[in-house]
C-alpha cells in the first residue's frame, strides 16, 4: 500500500473508472447470488457514471469522488453527495440534510489489502476539512453490510426484507469525529 495515491479523479480517468464500476458491480452482484439481474446491474453502473459526471462537471460540488491509484491501475473509488431518495424516504427525511458516502468500490484484485480502509480514512478527512460533521451510508449488499456493521455497529435503520425475503437494506448515521478515531 506504500505506492498508493489517493486523489481526485480527472477527465483522463473516466474510462478506467467506468470499467471499475462495471467490474465491481458485476462481481458484487455475482457474489450476492443476483448476477442474473442484468438490468439492475446496468442501472447501478449508469448511476455511478452519472455521479462521476456530476463530480467532474461541478468540480466536486455536487458529488465528490476520491480514487485510489497504484501506478496506472485504479484500485478503488469512494464518493459523497446528497442522500438518495431511498434514504430520504426510509428515514422520513431525518437524514435529508446529511451527505451520503457511497460508491465505496475496490477492484476484486485489490480487496482485503487495505485499499477500502485507505479510501474511507481519506474521505473522513475530506469531509472534516469541508466542515461536514455527520454523514450517512447505506447498503443492500449482504457482504458490504457485514463490513459496515463491523465498522459502525448496528444500523440506525433496518429495512427488513426490502429487496425480498431475507434481503434487508441498512442505513447508518455516522459522526465524522467518531469515524476518524
Amino acid at each position: 500500500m506504500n505506492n498508493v495515491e489517493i486523489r481526485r479523479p480527472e477527465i483522463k480517468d473516466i474510462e478506467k473508472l467506468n470499467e471499475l464500476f462495471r467490474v465491481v458491480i458485476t462481481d458484487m452482484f455475482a457474489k450476492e447470488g443476483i448476477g442474473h439481474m442484468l438490468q439492475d446491474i446496468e442501472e447501478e453502473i449508469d448511476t455511478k457514471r452519472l455521479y462521476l459526471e456530476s463530480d467532474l462537471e461541478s468540480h466536486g460540488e455536487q458529488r465528490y469522488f476520491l480514487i485510489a491509484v497504484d501506478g496506472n491501475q485504479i484500485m478503488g473509488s469512494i464518493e459523497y453527495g446528497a442522500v438518495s431518495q431511498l434514504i430520504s424516504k426510509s428515514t422520513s427525511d431525518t437524514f435529508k440534510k446529511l451527505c451520503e458516502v457511497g460508491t465505496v468500490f475496490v477492484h476484486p484484485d485489490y480487496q482485503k489489502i487495505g485499499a477500502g480502509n485507505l479510501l474511507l480514512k481519506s474521505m473522513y478527512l475530506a469531509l472534516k476539512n469541508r466542515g461536514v460533521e455527520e454523514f450517512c451510508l447505506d447498503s443492500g449488499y449482504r457482504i458490504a453490510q457485514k463490513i459496515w456493521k463491523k465498522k459502525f455497529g448496528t444500523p440506525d435503520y433496518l429495512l427488513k426484507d426490502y429487496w425480498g425475503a431475507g434481503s434487508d437494506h441498512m442505513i447508518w448515521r455516522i459522526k465524522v469525529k467518531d469515524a476518524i478515531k
Side-chain angles (χ1 to χ4, degrees):
M1 296 300 296
N2 292 340
N3 297 325
V4 176
E5 176 188 11
I6 303 294
R7 65 171 172 80
R8 297 267 300 126
E10 301 170 9
I11 299 291
K12 68 177 184 168
D13 300 316
I14 292 173
E15 188 176 321
K16 286 183 180 181
L17 277 166
N18 285 333
E19 181 59 26
L20 174 76
F21 300 155
R22 178 165 299 286
V23 168
V24 174
I25 291 168
T26 302
D27 181 65
M28 182 60 70
F29 269 63
K31 287 176 180 172
E32 291 284 326
I34 54 174
H36 62 281
M37 300 176 73
L38 301 180
Q39 184 175 344
D40 290 335
I41 290 170
E42 291 304 319
E43 287 173 8
E44 184 83 4
I45 292 166
D46 286 343
T47 297
K48 301 313 176 190
R49 285 182 179 151
L50 290 172
Y51 285 176
L52 178 60
E53 236 176 73
S54 177
D55 173 306
L56 294 170
E57 288 174 0
S58 72
H59 304 285
E61 294 301 316
Q62 298 297 316
R63 290 278 167 184
Y64 182 88
F65 271 79
L66 292 174
I67 60 174
V69 182
D70 181 13
N72 290 330
Q73 177 69 37
I74 295 178
M75 301 167 61
S77 70
I78 189 169
E79 61 86 23
Y80 84 86
V83 298
S84 67
Q85 287 182 346
L86 187 155
I87 291 175
S88 191
K89 179 182 171 192
S90 300
T91 64
S92 301
D93 287 336
T94 303
F95 291 5
K96 189 175 185 172
K97 293 188 178 185
L98 298 179
C99 65
E100 173 187 358
V101 170
T103 317
V104 184
F105 289 159
V106 176
H107 191 285
D109 293 346
Y110 291 96
Q111 292 176 0
K112 299 184 181 183
I113 62 168
N117 284 327
L118 189 57
L119 282 163
L120 282 165
K121 288 176 184 175
S122 298
M123 182 56 77
Y124 302 153
L125 292 174
L127 291 169
K128 181 182 175 190
N129 291 339
R130 289 175 155 235
V132 175
E133 294 181 9
E134 288 184 291
F135 64 94
C136 61
L137 181 142
D138 74 328
S139 181
Y141 300 126
R142 282 176 257 180
I143 294 167
Q145 290 169 350
K146 287 179 186 176
I147 294 167
W148 301 134
K149 284 195 271 189
K150 187 175 178 181
K151 287 189 180 304
F152 303 122
T154 304
D156 294 274
Y157 287 85
L158 172 65
L159 310 177
K160 192 84 176 128
D161 299 326
Y162 186 86
W163 301 106
S167 295
D168 304 333
H169 196 86
M170 299 178 186
I171 307 169
W172 289 262
R173 182 177 193 154
I174 302 138
K175 292 185 184 308
V176 172
K177 67 178 182 173
D178 293 341
I180 289 176
K181 289 181 184 177

